[in-house]
Amino acid sequence: MEKQHYGGLEVLKLVMSLMVVGIHTNPFASLPMLNALSSNGIFRIAVPVFFVMNGYFLSLERDKFLPWLRRIVVLYLLLSLLFSPLWLDTRSVGDCLASIALNLATGWHHLWYLAALILAACLAYLGRAHLRWMLPLSLLLFLGGVALQAVALWNGNAFARSIHGEFDLYRNGLTVALPFLLVGMALRRRDPQERVSWLVLVMVLAVFVAEILLWDRLWGHQTRDLYASLIVVAPVLFLAARQVRMTYRDQMSARIYYFHPIFEMAFKLNGKFGGGKVFLVTAALSVLLAYAIGKLKGVQAAGRLRWVRLIP
């Protein structure tokens, strides 16, 4: 099963990577309701969709899984090293070691996706003989994460205040990556010709938007990652894109995701935390960098640069 055979999914990956850029740069920062619907709402579907795709295409056969895992771990360590000037605490040796342990365990900023993917994939591999009962358990973990996020946003007692803003407590490998990864695996085990109608897609997206508006009404414009309807919306969107036949082969979405913080943080270090211009420039420069890396990978001399080959 080769990912490049599904042109619709390749386009979806590219769109989702740009949505992640939108999450981090808030293109509609000056328009609170539109920002709530986009960066704080619809754009949050991106990473769950990535996890569904990971699960759909991930092989748990030992001779395929272990090389994949080794490549992902090395990529994660290299990216963590690249961005370490932004998270490494150098005040003392103890602080330095603590920041290394914390950031490698949870993943700095956007790298939480890789940290969560590694954990979820390892759990799926270890429990590969019991995936059928792991799936409902993981769905309960996802709903638990949604509930914990609601408590944190409520911020109404000492416990809620203590977890307010602690995103890694409810957005992690157990509560997000594992459920969507296993959903992707379940979709692969079903009829590969299974289709969803566009009416169903529109309906689930409408439910998703309604939930976004409900959360916004209850908790205001506070940052949110999880919506209960994502557990349905992400796989339905995945199936809808999978059935779109086209010849496009994605070469840039992963690179946009991994490297866009270079430009995002350059703006933030200069006091610009969002807006349409920040989004457009960050997206444009990320696309150019992704394209340049693709060209570098195609240069024969780059074969000696082993780290280049690790980049998707």
Side-chain angles (χ1 to χ4, degrees):
M1 187 180 298
E2 298 292 337
K3 287 185 281 189
Q4 60 265 33
H5 291 172
Y6 298 89
L9 290 180
E10 302 296 323
V11 172
L12 181 62
K13 284 167 55 181
L14 183 59
V15 172
M16 295 293 106
S17 67
L18 293 174
M19 282 188 176
V20 172
V21 177
I23 290 173
H24 295 149
T25 57
N26 298 310
F28 306 108
S30 61
L31 302 169
M33 182 52 67
L34 193 54
N35 188 62
L37 282 170
S38 57
S39 300
N40 213 20
I42 294 172
F43 292 177
R44 301 289 170 167
I45 197 175
V47 174
V49 168
F50 286 149
F51 284 132
V52 172
M53 290 182 182
N54 292 142
Y56 189 82
F57 292 107
L58 179 63
S59 173
L60 295 180
E61 297 177 11
R62 180 184 176 90
D63 61 339
K64 294 180 180 179
F65 177 80
L66 293 182
W68 172 87
L69 179 63
R70 182 166 54 250
R71 182 177 66 82
I72 293 298
V73 169
V74 173
L75 176 62
Y76 176 54
L77 293 176
L78 286 175
L79 289 171
S80 296
L81 178 63
L82 173 66
F83 291 106
S84 60
L86 297 171
W87 56 258
L88 187 63
D89 189 341
T90 58
R91 290 177 297 178
S92 69
V93 173
D95 291 330
C96 180
L97 293 176
S99 67
I100 291 173
L102 176 63
N103 283 280
L104 288 183
T106 61
W108 172 81
H109 196 46
H110 66 310
L111 296 182
W112 80 268
Y113 161 70
L114 285 176
L117 175 61
I118 291 167
L119 174 60
C122 288
L123 291 175
Y125 177 74
L126 294 174
R128 58 193 179 278
H130 308 286
L131 293 180
R132 292 189 180 276
W133 64 260
M134 285 181 66
L135 177 57
L137 177 60
S138 72
L139 297 181
L140 291 177
L141 290 173
F142 170 70
L143 293 177
V146 175
L148 193 60
Q149 176 185 256
V151 172
L153 296 179
W154 169 53
N155 201 21
N157 59 28
F159 172 72
R161 287 190 291 274
S162 69
I163 65 172
H164 186 79
E166 299 294 334
F167 305 116
D168 292 324
L169 292 178
Y170 49 80
R171 183 207 62 184
N172 52 57
L174 292 177
T175 61
V176 181
L178 185 62
F180 288 99
L181 192 81
L182 294 179
V183 165
M185 291 180 178
L187 292 177
R188 184 181 62 205
R189 293 195 298 268
R190 295 178 66 86
D191 180 4
Q193 302 303 317
E194 185 175 6
R195 302 173 67 86
V196 297
S197 69
W198 295 109
L199 177 60
V200 170
L201 176 61
V202 170
M203 290 175 61
V204 298
L205 288 175
V207 171
F208 182 34
V209 171
E211 185 185 1
I212 293 170
L213 293 174
L214 176 61
W215 280 77
D216 200 64
R217 183 175 181 83
L218 290 174
W219 313 122
H221 301 317
Q222 299 182 72
T223 300
R224 300 180 292 274
D225 286 283
L226 304 183
Y227 295 94
S229 57
L230 282 173
I231 203 64
V232 175
V233 179
V236 168
L237 182 58
F238 169 85
L239 290 173
R242 190 190 65 171
Q243 65 198 37
V244 175
R245 303 299 179 186
M246 58 176 60
T247 58
Y248 174 74
R249 295 190 176 189
D250 173 60
Q251 297 293 326
M252 296 194 297
S253 60
R255 300 169 206 157
I256 292 171
Y257 182 93
Y258 294 142
F259 296 111
H260 77 272
I262 293 174
F263 310 108
E264 170 203 346
M265 293 301 166
F267 278 112
K268 289 180 176 178
L269 290 173
N270 283 281
K272 296 180 173 62
F273 290 87
K277 292 180 180 178
V278 172
F279 167 74
L280 290 174
V281 174
T282 300
L285 292 176
S286 299
V287 169
L288 288 174
L289 178 59
Y291 179 78
I293 292 173
K295 287 297 184 181
L296 179 61
K297 286 169 66 71
V299 176
Q300 187 175 4
R304 293 191 294 270
L305 301 175
R306 297 186 63 184
W307 64 269
V308 174
R309 289 179 288 173
L310 289 170
I311 303 172

